[in-house]
Amino acid sequence: MSAEQVLLMGVARFASAAATHGEPEPGHTVWGDLPFVPVLMSRLNLAYKSIGYDVLEVADPDRKAVLDQSDEAIMSASTRIVHVISHGSVAEDLNRPRAAANAEHIHIVPACGQVGNGTNVSHWVSTAHQQPEPTLFIVDLCRAGRAARLSELTHVPDEARNAWVIAATSPDLPAYDGHLSEAVADVLEQIALHGLDTSPSLRFVRWDRVTPAIQRRLQELGSTQRLYTTPVDVSQELPELPFFPNPRWRHDARLEKLHAVEAPVRAFVADLGAEHFIDRVGDHFVGRRSQLEWLATWLDDHRSGGLRVVTGAPGSGKSALLGALVCSGHEAIISAAPDIRTYLTAQDPDGVCSPNPLLAAIHARGRDLDAILSSLAAQWDLSVEPNQSWTVADLLAEIRALPAVPALIFDALDEAEDPHELLGSLLLPLAKAIRPDKQPACRLLVGTRRWRFGTLLELAGRHEGLLDLDDVPLDEIRKDLRSHLLRKLAGLPQYSGPGQRAVRTSLAGAAAESLTQHPDRMQEWGPFLVARIFGQVLESLPPASNPQEAAVLGASIPRSLPAVLELDLRTRPDSQALRAVLAAVAFAKGDGFPTEAIAAVAPEFAPDLLPPTANREPGESRDRLQCIRALLDAGSFYLRTGIESDGATLYRLFHQGLADYLQDQPYPIDDTGRNEDA
């Protein structure tokens, strides 16, 4: 099957109907040559090919050629883009009175200089809309905006529109020197390199990502032109437009299904480390069996109390624990990625809760009360009026009337937009609500740090519903840590061979022992997070050659998050620049920062390595963005990704403890690891 096609037509030379040194005849206009067109055509040809298109290039077509080529392209199912560069002609150019003109018509001027049947670009757009496949028109003509504002298409919904327009300028202004085409070529080249940082889960770069990029490039070129594009309904989700293939796209049916899950639910999959690969579940989550079994049994028992709270130090495993419960019991996740539940069941069948249509999940990071209420109403399939704004009272009334008691797993209360508002307005009322049959109205499981939430922890403790992961017996924590590290080591080539079994055992045992030697230190930083980052450090350190060396290496494990992070960063050749990028990401809210925001913030923390963009050339700015992208790849272990509304990849740190530390210490510091126990 051949690739989809671009029709690229450009006119550089014009045969005027009148002598250039005389007055034009009535009804005719003298069209000057456009010497920049051939160079632009050559560049555009390569740029379109770089993103996968076949290109039909038509240079200096006369009126008949314009008619034939445009008609064939519009009627063809394989032509996706029509790009034209020339003069634009309206009725006034032909000495026709304004009253006789159609204000929506814009003609491409062919090489013969005669407009007429087949040169009306507005008519092309109207005809293309009637075809079964969408077509994009990139119109680099004076007054090209007329083609983007056809009255007959004004009320067509975006999802039903099959003709889209990017025009060089407004309906009544000139375009200059092919600036639109130059900007488009530049953006196409950037798409070929990195997809404008579009998420790999999206097959195409979105319309609202591409068109602002073209406008920014126009401004960088010094042009005063403003794009005129097909208007969109900003209140609705834009359809997937198949014009700009995303080179970063990786077909993954499982991931596509997961991205259709409500964002406050999907976040649990990311926190468990199970979004992309099932083996990452094993790498990121192990142990906590007794706690899982206790909570899973409670979630399945509608006769028991209404509130459980999980707390503990940063890195103690709260989010992974709750993520395992959500991924095993929430039907939307089971439907999208059943392999996660299968894995968790194989690991510990007593530690998974039953699939439950009334189990809702909220990851509160960066979310406010309104967003959470709307998500809960959708997850519990509560009746809703169009445009209804939910209140807590409405929600309580609805769930009291449900045929069975619903369950809610609510994580990251301390990371919400306004934690105390959520606690007082939503969580405490939910915890105390009673159904007409005197049962709790909701089975509520909350994950949070202990600080500032004494009221909630006290309420849970009264009914033996408080689980503090720092109070788990040390022998159990040590066993779980050893299992975690053994699993990590078995996946490292330098430790995975059969002859390394004793080395793996010695290293994992010594590290687990060291991490649990001082229980008071575990109240500040959870040992699981420290062990996880130490596993990353081991990838770059020379391997231990025998059990004795392994024991020494394991015993050297830092016992705090700052120390182990600094140890890892010191092993990196790009240590300072990587730290600056991670520090910038630490300040992200909600689902994260896009690449551009990281590039704007990171130079503050490494000014010599990442100079700011002020007073710099556009090419230098792009080079710096490429540097940021490379550093994001290098630091991918520490990152989680999301999707911005325009399709851009968002980055955040995988753990709030990391974010807290790097916000406090964004600049390089010396000897943290060596001096931590001084």
Side-chain angles (χ1 to χ4, degrees), residues 306-309 369 372-373 376 392-393 395-396 399-400 408 410 413 418-434 440-446 448 452-463:
L307 176 65
R308 294 287 185 271
V309 174
L369 179 61
I372 289 169
L373 289 173
L376 288 175
V392 174
L395 187 79
L396 291 175
I399 65 173
R400 286 189 182 107
L408 169 58
F410 192 103
L413 169 61
D418 188 339
H420 291 288
E421 181 196 19
L422 282 177
L423 177 62
S425 299
L426 176 63
L427 296 183
L428 291 178
L430 274 174
K432 297 174 182 178
I434 302 296
C442 177
R443 310 175 55 65
L444 178 61
L445 172 57
V446 180
T448 185
R452 303 183 299 160
F453 301 106
T455 304
L456 183 69
L457 273 62
E458 181 183 349
L459 181 60
R462 283 188 222 149
H463 303 282

Side-chain angles (χ1 to χ4, degrees), residues 170-187:
S170 74
D172 296 304
L173 290 177
Y176 298 99
D177 299 330
H179 283 161
L180 170 66
S181 293
E182 185 176 354
V184 168
D186 186 87
V187 170

Side-chain angles (χ1 to χ4, degrees), residues 302-303 399-406 433-442:
H302 286 228
R303 298 166 299 176
I399 65 173
R400 286 189 182 107
L402 289 172
V405 176
I434 302 296
R435 290 164 55 91
D437 60 6
K438 306 305 181 185
Q439 289 191 76
C442 177

Side-chain angles (χ1 to χ4, degrees), residues 551-590:
V552 173
L553 179 58
S556 73
I557 184 173
R559 290 187 290 275
S560 73
L561 172 65
V564 75
L565 176 63
E566 299 297 344
L567 174 62
D568 183 31
L569 291 177
R570 283 200 304 274
T571 67
R572 309 291 190 107
D574 49 6
S575 173
Q576 293 184 48
L578 176 58
R579 183 196 185 89
V581 167
L582 294 178
V585 177
F587 288 90
K589 301 296 183 184

Side-chain angles (χ1 to χ4, degrees), residues 156-193:
V156 175
D158 295 340
E159 66 273 11
R161 188 189 305 273
N162 270 355
W164 295 77
V165 178
I166 297 175
T169 186
S170 74
D172 296 304
L173 290 177
Y176 298 99
D177 299 330
H179 283 161
L180 170 66
S181 293
E182 185 176 354
V184 168
D186 186 87
V187 170
L188 291 172
E189 290 159 1
Q190 295 300 305
I191 289 174
L193 284 174

Side-chain angles (χ1 to χ4, degrees), residues 491-510:
L492 297 180
Q494 62 267 45
Y495 286 106
S496 61
Q500 295 292 93
R501 185 180 186 89
V503 173
R504 295 195 300 268
T505 301
S506 177
L507 200 164

